Amino acid sequence: MNFLRGVMGGQSAGPQHTEAETIQKLCDRVASSTLLDDRRNAVRALKSLSKKYRLEVGIQAMEHLIHVLQTDRSDSEIIAYALDTLYNIISNDEEEEVEENSTRPSEDLGSQFTEIFIKQPENVTLLLSLLEEFDFHVRWPGVRLLTSLLKQLGPPVQQIVLVSPMGVSRLMDLLADSREIIRNDGVLLLQALTRSNGAIQKIVAFENAFERLLDIITEEGNSDGGIVVEDCLILLQNLLKNNNSNQNFFKEGSYIQRMKPWFEVGDENSGWSAQKVTNLHLMLQLVRVLVSPTNPPGATSSCQKAMFQCGLLQQLCTILMATGIPADILTETINTVSEVIRGCQVNQDYFASVNAPSNPPRPAIVVLLMSMVNERQPFVLRCAVLYCFQCFLYKNQKGQGEIVATLLPSTIDATGNSVSAGQLLCGGLFSTDSLSNWCAAVALAHALQGNATQKEQLLRVQLATSIGNPPVSLLQQCTNILSQGSKIQTRVGLLMLLCTWLSNCPIAVTHFLHNSANVPFLTGQIAENLGEEEQLVQGLCALLLGISIYFNDNSLENYMKEKLKQLIEKRIGKENFIEKLGFISKHELYSRASQKPQPNFPSPEYMIFDHEFTKLVKELEGVITKAIYKSSEEDKKEEEVKKTLEQHDNIVTHYKNMIREQDLQLEELKQQVSTLRCQNEQLQTAVTQQASQIQQHKDQYNLLKVQLGKDNHHQGSHSDGAQVNGIQPEEISRLREEIEELKSHQGLLQSQLAEKDSLIENLAKSVPVQGESENVIAAKTTDVEGRLSALLQETKELKNEIKALSEEKTAIKKQLDSSNSTIAILQTEKDKLDVEVTDSKKEQDDLLVLLADQDQKILSLKSKLKDLGHPVEEEDESGDQEDEDDEMDDGDKDQDI
């Protein structure tokens, strides 16, 4: 107590050097005292000074404190004081006071003391071993200290833990601790441990982290839970983000199914605390981690399918259409649904079927598009809806067709009772809000992306501009708005739509060029020297004009490729045109849009480029540049090459069709051969069975012949049977020979079919390829036709062979029927013999009975003779007995028979 009073008095008394002396004395006491109580009191005093005098305690006491951890492990109290003191020295908690006269920031102190501590890796290993202690006063400060070390210098501490035997496993045990404070701080420790370290992330996942964390989230009440749920979700993100191995492990472990209850939030207006919003936001982000467009396509696809199968997508769509959902949660839910359906046909089809709970019900797509073109809605929400629409149409030609169909005259609702997706897009495209113009243009461009059919269909769309005026096409209306000098954002959106529409669609190019005002407008825009703000529009106009040249089919005489290039050279200059074209990819916002599919802009003025459009620019910029510099002769050669290639394609298609027909015929022949082979096998089996039955009948008949050989009547019957049976082997032999002949025919048939397959392969190889000369093509064509003629002749002969084979099969069937008839006759004879044998046995039995009576009488008589004194010869008796025995033996044999 006196020692503590001195320390406390020193704290409030003299100048700072007095405290340094006090700390030095305490350190000496820790190092030299032999009594555990003295050392414990000294460490406790150092703990009390460590927050205010962090620098002095750290410099003088760290080595002694580490020594205490090594030597005094048996006393949990001194270990707890030492760990707390080290934590105060190393951590940078905001509530801690920085030493008054120190010129170093608190962060620098923490990292420097951490560097000193981990300079000896065994110090971290020692700390890991202390975490195995179950004592709360040791384990909890140990967790806090290791967490602080990881926050200060994560990578080197992570490496030490990684190479430490069972290091990660020891830390995973913290999640199973029954004391919530240790379990919760263990989650924070694992957060710091797994940050940006894939190897540790895999080990933690392998140690059953997913199961434990999901259990904790469930126990804490899912989205209604507290900050512990938030910490668990952050740790799950650490384990899964950019870690394909863990993502696959999470999916294969059926953990996606356990995420569904997280989103059962209802649509009530109350109950949305700040913590619940945070939790649900993290849960949605976790779903997006699993289906991110940056993941490998196969992994994303499998997770998307699992989310549909377990009902997770359906649950998210329920939130999407519910009322009372906070705006930021609704926005993130839209983004999450977007990536769950992106590129997955099953999920896209389901999303198309979702209806909002309105009266009458409206498709979810229509409800979302209403928000996108409504300028009163929050900007981030409108971006999310655009992303959702883009993901719905991504690689979804069916969905693209459904959207474009809502613009066509035959599908428009004449009553006006319902609004369609197409009407909303047109409304947004021509509204006074430039952001709506841009979003609608980009959305409509995605309905055309990579779909030539829908590009042609959209050309049919007619718009009524005003009463009394004829309708104009949608294509024409877009160019009309361009020429009116609207806002840059509107013009950029329309130009991106037109470039997407015209690319890879010569018919659309022809429609665009048919309006005589379009080309002069584009050349005028490109030729002018405008400010930096207009340079992007100039670049897009150059791209549109370049597309009109590159995909031009020369169907309009005034706007053929060569004439358009001459126009560019005369009014703009080729070099100037290429320079203006380069303005697009050099724009500061171009690279930003090219990185991720999601339209993520800090504010509306940054909403310039679409991700898919940047891909189109990258694809077309080079080919347009080459097309501009090509001469007319090169163009003609290119056209000739294209025509030659088309001719080649037609020839190849023709022969492919012929080969396809031959393949069908071959398949039919193979099926016939297979059927015949099967029938032959059945016939062979039947013949074998008949031969076996005949042999059995033959054996039975021979046995009867032996037994009844002395009977003349039986002998006569046997003679008849032998005559029949003597004919049968010859018939069977002949049948077998015919079957062997049939097998040889089958072998011949198979060889002919093999030759035919070989001919067809040679035929396929002989089809002309692109770039061969006309003479070679003609020669190959003649050769192919000759081979095809021979092949058809061989096929005809092969069919004749099969017909003959079928006739032989019919003959064999008739012979088998004759054989069956012979067998039936033989069976009848056998039945007769069986009856005769039965009658014979009956007669023998009667004789045996008579013989037995006679023997009995003879024995009685002999007995009487002996009684009367007449001699009886034993030899006769024995002989009689032997005769009797012989007769009995014969009787037994007959009985056996």
Side-chain angles (χ1 to χ4, degrees), residues 496-637:
M496 287 195 295
L497 170 60
L498 290 171
C499 289
T500 304
W501 194 346
L502 269 59
S503 64
N504 291 290
C505 188
I507 297 176
V509 171
T510 301
H511 277 252
F512 178 77
L513 295 176
H514 190 72
N515 186 341
S516 58
N518 287 341
V519 172
F521 168 73
L522 292 178
T523 54
Q525 288 287 312
I526 301 167
E528 290 184 21
N529 292 320
L530 303 173
E532 291 185 3
E533 292 183 355
E534 293 290 334
Q535 285 183 350
L536 177 58
V537 174
Q538 288 185 303
L540 291 170
C541 288
L543 179 64
L544 183 57
L545 185 56
I547 290 172
S548 301
I549 294 172
Y550 185 73
F551 295 104
N552 192 333
D553 59 2
N554 290 327
S555 59
L556 294 177
E557 185 177 353
N558 293 334
Y559 294 105
M560 298 176 68
K561 287 185 178 182
E562 187 59 30
K563 290 186 178 181
L564 288 174
K565 287 194 286 187
Q566 291 174 359
L567 186 66
I568 288 174
E569 188 171 6
K570 180 180 178 181
R571 296 190 180 180
I572 304 171
K574 291 183 178 180
E575 291 77 11
N576 189 28
F577 178 86
I578 300 303
E579 182 185 0
K580 298 291 176 70
L581 181 64
F583 285 164
I584 303 173
S585 56
K586 292 177 182 177
H587 197 278
E588 58 181 351
L589 297 178
Y590 176 88
S591 59
R592 179 171 182 170
S594 65
Q595 293 172 2
K596 291 183 179 180
Q598 182 180 1
N600 189 12
F601 306 102
S603 58
E605 58 267 21
Y606 288 90
M607 209 169 194
I608 296 297
F609 284 110
D610 170 59
H611 176 76
E612 290 296 326
F613 181 75
T614 61
K615 292 182 181 179
L616 183 67
V617 172
K618 187 176 181 181
E619 176 187 341
L620 294 179
E621 188 175 8
V623 296
I624 288 175
T625 301
K626 290 180 182 179
I628 294 299
Y629 282 108
K630 278 182 183 177
S631 63
S632 58
E633 293 180 358
E634 289 176 331
D635 279 336
K636 289 180 181 179
K637 288 181 180 179

Side-chain angles (χ1 to χ4, degrees), residues 2 4 14 38 155 166 172 220 246 274 279 301 373 395 406 417 437 510 555 674 691 734-735 768:
N2 292 335
L4 287 173
D38 286 348
M166 299 298 291
M172 284 299 300
E220 294 292 323
N246 281 2
N279 290 345
S301 177
V373 297
K395 294 184 178 179
T406 61
N417 292 330
N437 302 154
T510 301
S555 59
S674 177
R734 184 166 58 82
L735 286 173

Side-chain angles (χ1 to χ4, degrees), residues 36-255:
L36 180 60
D37 286 344
D38 286 348
R39 294 199 302 277
R40 186 190 303 121
N41 290 333
V43 174
R44 182 168 56 188
L46 286 171
K47 174 190 171 184
S48 65
L49 295 170
S50 58
K51 286 189 177 182
K52 188 173 183 180
Y53 303 103
R54 179 181 176 192
L55 178 62
E56 283 77 8
V57 174
I59 292 173
Q60 299 186 50
M62 180 175 284
E63 184 178 352
H64 301 293
L65 294 170
I66 294 171
H67 185 71
V68 167
L69 297 179
Q70 294 169 340
T71 58
D72 290 327
R73 291 190 60 170
S74 58
D75 185 70
S76 61
E77 192 174 356
I78 192 173
I79 294 294
Y81 291 147
L83 291 171
D84 285 336
T85 307
L86 287 170
Y87 174 79
N88 292 338
I89 294 169
I90 290 172
S91 68
N92 290 324
D93 291 344
E94 293 181 1
E95 63 269 20
E96 293 178 356
E97 297 179 1
V98 180
E99 188 179 353
E100 289 182 357
N101 294 324
S102 174
T103 58
R104 299 177 181 176
S106 176
E107 289 77 6
D108 290 343
L109 282 180
S111 60
Q112 288 176 11
F113 284 133
T114 300
E115 189 174 356
I116 294 170
F117 185 85
I118 67 172
K119 192 172 184 180
Q120 301 295 329
E122 55 267 21
N123 292 340
V124 179
T125 305
L126 172 64
L127 185 55
L128 289 171
S129 66
L130 288 171
L131 292 178
E132 292 184 334
E133 297 289 339
F134 189 73
D135 191 318
F136 177 83
H137 297 93
V138 175
R139 200 172 207 186
W140 184 54
V143 170
R144 295 173 69 218
L145 176 57
L146 184 55
T147 304
S148 184
L149 291 172
L150 285 163
K151 287 180 179 179
Q152 295 295 341
L153 292 175
V157 179
Q158 287 173 331
Q159 193 60 31
I160 297 171
V161 174
L162 187 60
V163 300
S164 179
M166 299 298 291
V168 178
S169 298
R170 290 171 178 169
L171 300 180
M172 284 299 300
D173 291 339
L174 299 172
L175 296 183
D177 199 302
S178 58
R179 295 158 295 193
E180 287 191 1
I181 188 171
I182 293 180
R183 182 200 69 182
N184 299 344
D185 281 357
V187 173
L188 296 176
L189 169 57
L190 289 170
Q191 276 184 24
L193 181 68
T194 56
R195 190 172 291 116
S196 303
N197 191 305
I200 291 179
Q201 290 167 3
K202 291 178 183 179
I203 296 173
V204 170
F206 184 74
E207 292 283 348
N208 207 26
F210 294 140
E211 186 76 31
R212 294 184 184 182
L213 291 171
L214 291 172
D215 285 343
I216 294 172
I217 292 172
T218 303
E219 292 168 6
E220 294 292 323
N222 293 327
S223 61
D224 291 319
I227 196 170
V228 178
V229 172
E230 177 184 346
D231 293 336
C232 289
L233 292 168
I234 293 172
L235 177 53
L236 283 171
Q237 282 199 25
N238 285 357
L239 296 176
L240 292 171
K241 196 169 186 178
N242 300 322
N243 193 316
N244 299 327
S245 174
N246 281 2
Q247 289 174 10
N248 185 61
F249 183 60
F250 191 85
K251 180 188 73 68
E252 295 296 333
S254 300
Y255 295 117

Side-chain angles (χ1 to χ4, degrees), residues 644-686:
T644 304
L645 291 176
E646 288 177 0
Q647 292 176 356
H648 288 181
D649 290 340
N650 292 334
I651 294 172
V652 170
T653 303
H654 171 68
Y655 284 115
K656 280 183 178 179
N657 292 333
M658 293 182 67
I659 292 170
R660 191 176 296 110
E661 292 176 1
Q662 292 295 323
D663 286 339
L664 292 174
Q665 293 179 1
L666 273 177
E667 285 299 322
E668 292 177 0
L669 293 174
K670 286 179 180 178
Q671 290 177 2
Q672 292 179 10
V673 170
S674 177
T675 303
L676 287 174
R677 185 185 296 114
C678 181
Q679 292 176 351
N680 289 335
E681 290 175 355
Q682 293 175 355
L683 289 173
Q684 188 173 0
T685 303

Side-chain angles (χ1 to χ4, degrees), residues 773-835:
S773 66
E774 293 295 333
N775 293 330
V776 175
I777 293 169
K780 289 190 175 182
T781 303
T782 304
D783 181 54
V784 168
E785 289 176 349
R787 292 191 180 188
L788 282 175
S789 178
L791 195 59
L792 290 171
Q793 184 63 31
E794 289 182 11
T795 304
K796 185 176 180 181
E797 293 174 358
L798 198 58
K799 288 181 177 179
N800 293 333
E801 292 264 350
I802 292 172
K803 184 178 179 182
L805 202 59
S806 299
E807 292 174 354
E808 290 180 10
K809 182 191 74 173
T810 304
I812 290 173
K813 282 186 176 180
K814 290 180 179 179
Q815 292 174 355
L816 282 175
D817 292 339
S818 176
S819 176
N820 290 335
S821 176
T822 304
I823 291 168
I825 294 170
L826 197 59
Q827 182 67 36
T828 304
E829 292 293 333
K830 176 181 172 296
D831 293 340
K832 291 181 181 180
L833 290 174
D834 288 340
V835 172

Side-chain angles (χ1 to χ4, degrees), residues 718-783:
H718 165 66
S719 179
D720 294 340
Q723 186 179 6
V724 176
N725 195 47
I727 296 171
Q728 191 65 27
E730 295 176 0
E731 292 181 357
I732 292 171
S733 176
R734 184 166 58 82
L735 286 173
R736 286 178 177 170
E737 290 176 0
E738 291 179 356
I739 288 170
E740 290 298 326
E741 186 178 353
L742 192 60
K743 286 183 178 179
S744 67
H745 275 292
Q746 285 180 336
L748 179 61
L749 188 61
Q750 291 295 330
S751 65
Q752 289 175 348
L753 287 174
E755 290 177 4
K756 192 168 184 181
D757 288 338
S758 176
L759 280 174
I760 288 177
E761 285 185 12
N762 294 334
L763 179 63
K765 292 178 181 177
S766 66
V767 174
V769 295
Q770 295 178 355
E772 292 184 328
S773 66
E774 293 295 333
N775 293 330
V776 175
I777 293 169
K780 289 190 175 182
T781 303
T782 304
D783 181 54

